[in-house]
Amino acid sequence: MTEQPKFQRRKRRGAVTPAERPVAVESNRPDPSVAELKALLEEKEALLQRKAELEAERLRDAEQVAQRAEDARKAKAEEAKKAAAAAPKTPLVLASAPPRTPAARPVHDHEAIWQSIDRFPLDAQRLADRNVITALRRDPAHTRFDILRTRMLQALAENGWKRVAITSPTKDCGKTFTAANLAISLSRQENCRTVLLDLDMRSPSLHKIFGVSDTGAIGDMLRGKIAPEHHLQGFAQNSMSAGSHVAIGFNGIVEPYAAELLQDPSTKEALHEIETQFEPDVMLFDLPPALLNDDVIAMRPHVDALLIVAAGGMTKANDIKETERRLGDNIPLLGVVLNKAEQTETGDYSY
């Protein structure tokens, strides 16, 4: 066997057979076409172009805002320059600051309030028939009410009081009769403003004495549903010299929860409003009998002084003492009016 050269052997050993050659692996991903690549490039180019347009628009807006601010600053500076040029060269120096003038307070016309209330006619004979003896002044006993009026006004003025509660221990003692006579007597007192309220809301009767049918409900006024100047009524011009500065709060509606209403804060506010609007010198409260219910006790915080009406031959001394005890020691007693006491000198009533 012929020996082959060494280089041929090395060549043969390094040769690769067809079976040993690497085989190319075919990919399943399709090659992108030229049209698709072109579309992607165009879309990218459009996005870049839109971005550039938005940025340019933002820059324009910022420049406009800056320009407007600059224009405003220049205009303000120009106005300040003109104001400085118009100002006097030498400033005015005051030796002292001018005194401050307080703002004028609105003036409340009390007289206009009195003139604005509704008025009702007075029938002197009707009042006389209902024992309002101060109307015609034919009964000599009317002088007792004038004395009571004067003494009461003096006591109120000396102590700074205004509000007087008129009550009785039991019913049928004549407390409403006393309140009506006092109101007419007070109306003849010059420069005296009087407010009389029918607060016997369980059995209102003051309107019957004066013959008033359009009474309204005093409970609505106490609750703040109606202003006092729209509820209170005064005397119309009359022939018996009853003055125009008496305002009466009538009541034609029975109030079943009178004590609760008198204790309600709205009652306090309503009474304060009456004092503010009318500036009365005297406020008379015709209250129910003290021993029948708790209305008088409920009214106690709103009262400055007390007037008790007793019936001669009917009211007992213990009833008067019990009335004083229920009202407490902090309410001064102006006096006890003795009603229905027969006297030959002054008529049927003694005070």
Side-chain angles (χ1 to χ4, degrees):
M1 182 175 199
T2 305
E3 184 178 356
Q4 294 181 352
K6 292 182 180 179
F7 72 89
Q8 290 182 354
R9 290 198 300 270
R10 288 196 297 272
K11 183 178 181 181
R12 186 175 292 115
R13 284 197 299 271
V16 180
T17 62
E20 296 174 345
R21 294 176 180 171
V23 180
V25 180
E26 295 183 0
S27 175
N28 294 328
R29 187 175 65 182
D31 295 334
S33 64
V34 176
E36 291 176 346
L37 291 175
K38 185 176 180 180
L40 291 174
L41 290 174
E42 291 177 353
E43 183 178 356
K44 181 178 181 181
E45 186 67 23
L47 292 174
L48 293 174
Q49 181 66 25
R50 179 58 181 163
K51 183 178 180 180
E53 292 175 355
L54 293 175
E55 182 65 19
E57 185 177 352
R58 186 186 67 80
L59 292 175
R60 285 195 302 270
D61 292 342
E63 290 176 357
Q64 291 177 359
V65 171
Q67 185 62 39
R68 286 196 294 268
E70 180 65 18
D71 293 343
R73 186 188 66 78
K74 289 180 179 180
K76 187 175 181 180
E78 187 65 25
E79 291 178 0
K81 186 176 179 181
K82 291 180 180 179
K89 300 300 181 181
T90 303
L92 179 62
V93 179
L94 298 178
S96 60
R100 296 181 61 183
T101 303
R105 295 183 178 179
V107 178
H108 180 71
D109 190 350
H110 300 287
E111 189 61 30
I113 295 293
W114 278 96
Q115 297 302 324
S116 68
I117 64 176
D118 292 337
R119 303 277 169 179
F120 62 92
L122 285 177
D123 187 336
Q125 190 58 50
R126 175 191 178 91
L127 293 175
D129 293 342
R130 284 162 177 76
N131 294 324
V132 182
I133 58 178
T134 54
L136 294 177
R137 309 184 80 174
R138 293 172 181 170
D139 193 324
H142 79 271
T143 58
R144 300 299 181 122
F145 279 108
D146 293 341
I147 295 172
L148 176 62
R149 171 201 65 192
T150 302
R151 289 181 176 177
M152 182 181 69
L153 288 177
Q154 290 175 351
L156 297 181
E158 290 172 0
N159 295 278
W161 299 333
K162 286 187 179 181
R163 304 177 178 183
V164 179
I166 302 176
T167 186
S168 58
T170 57
K171 64 180 182 177
D172 298 330
C173 291
K175 60 179 183 57
T176 302
F177 150 81
T178 301
N181 276 283
L182 261 180
I184 293 181
S185 181
L186 285 166
S187 74
R188 297 190 176 112
Q189 183 72 36
E190 187 177 0
N191 299 324
C192 180
R193 294 171 172 173
T194 303
V195 172
L196 170 59
L197 302 182
D198 186 356
L199 295 183
D200 188 353
M201 292 181 282
R202 300 177 191 266
S203 181
S205 60
L206 193 61
H207 63 287
K208 298 176 182 178
I209 292 179
F210 285 97
V212 176
S213 57
D214 185 14
T215 62
I218 200 169
D220 290 343
M221 184 189 72
L222 298 180
R223 293 184 178 92
K225 295 182 179 179
I226 183 172
E229 60 268 25
H230 296 153
H231 178 77
L232 300 181
Q233 301 183 46
F235 301 152
Q237 289 186 349
N238 55 83
S239 60
M240 58 188 211
S241 302
S244 61
H245 287 86
V246 171
I248 302 179
F250 295 109
N251 182 37
I253 305 297
V254 174
E255 183 66 48
Y257 302 102
E260 290 81 357
L261 177 57
L262 294 175
Q263 295 180 85
D264 193 274
S266 64
T267 295
K268 179 180 179 180
E269 295 174 3
L271 297 178
H272 177 72
E273 186 176 358
I274 291 174
E275 288 187 335
T276 302
Q277 296 290 331
F278 290 83
E279 262 196 355
D281 300 290
V282 183
M283 294 182 71
L284 302 177
F285 304 138
D286 180 17
L287 295 173
L291 302 183
L292 294 186
N293 48 58
D294 60 336
D295 293 7
V296 177
I297 298 175
M299 190 64 185
R300 187 169 55 184
H302 311 305
V303 172
D304 293 327
L306 176 66
L307 194 64
I308 297 178
V309 180
M314 184 174 68
T315 303
K316 299 178 182 178
N318 289 335
D319 294 338
I320 297 176
K321 292 181 180 179
E322 178 63 19
T323 300
E324 293 184 69
R325 188 190 68 79
R326 288 194 181 187
L327 291 172
D329 298 331
N330 58 334
I331 298 183
L333 178 63
L334 290 178
V336 178
V337 178
L338 181 59
N339 185 30
K340 299 181 180 180
E342 295 185 1
Q343 289 186 353
T344 58
E345 300 164 355
T346 58
D348 295 334
Y349 303 98
S350 177
Y351 305 92

